[in-house]
Amino acid sequence: YVASIACLKRALYLDPFEWIISYNLGLVHLNTGQYASAFHHFSTSINLKADFASSYMYLAITLSRLDDLENACAAYEKAIDMEEDHMFELNYAITLANNEELERAKEHFAQ
């Protein structure tokens, strides 16, 4: 992961307005458990390209790992409103179940 972070940070230095670089940095930081950094990069990615629904889903996962259920739910809802994808519903259901919102989790799991 260290090499990928170094390469992506160099790419970000060379082209700071390329949304996909921030998105990929967010993914790497999410996978390494660096949730504050992941939040920063997903937020930047969304600011640069607001119509990419997967950014909202991964932002929601990051927010749930940061124990911010309210904003995580808002990000999931935004992703689902933008694009119907079973992965969005499944991850939303898992997040709700992990936070003991079982009835709401069942609703999203059924979809």
Side-chain angles (χ1 to χ4, degrees):
Y1 292 115
V2 175
S4 62
I5 290 173
C7 287
L8 287 166
K9 286 197 175 194
R10 172 105 171 118
L12 190 64
Y13 172 78
L14 295 172
D15 192 356
F17 298 109
E18 185 61 52
W19 69 272
I20 195 74
I21 299 169
S22 292
Y23 176 77
N24 285 326
L25 270 167
L27 290 174
V28 173
H29 286 297
L30 179 61
N31 283 316
T32 58
Q34 298 172 351
Y35 304 125
S37 294
F39 171 79
H40 169 75
H41 290 293
F42 286 130
S43 295
T44 300
S45 175
I46 288 168
N47 285 333
L48 294 172
K49 184 170 175 69
D51 63 346
F52 190 63
S54 292
S55 294
Y56 290 94
M57 182 194 67
Y58 286 114
L59 177 64
I61 292 170
T62 302
L63 288 166
S64 71
R65 301 274 171 86
L66 291 169
D67 295 325
D68 187 354
L69 181 61
E70 182 179 340
N71 287 316
C73 290
Y76 278 122
E77 294 291 341
K78 177 74 172 174
I80 291 167
D81 287 345
M82 292 174 70
E83 180 181 319
E84 289 188 26
D85 187 327
H86 67 279
M87 288 301 296
F88 300 166
E89 296 285 355
L90 180 61
N91 281 309
Y92 196 3
I94 290 168
T95 297
L96 290 169
N98 287 341
N99 286 280
E100 299 178 10
E101 298 267 347
L102 299 180
E103 289 304 314
R104 287 176 61 198
K106 287 179 188 177
E107 292 172 19
H108 287 281
F109 186 73
Q111 297 181 10

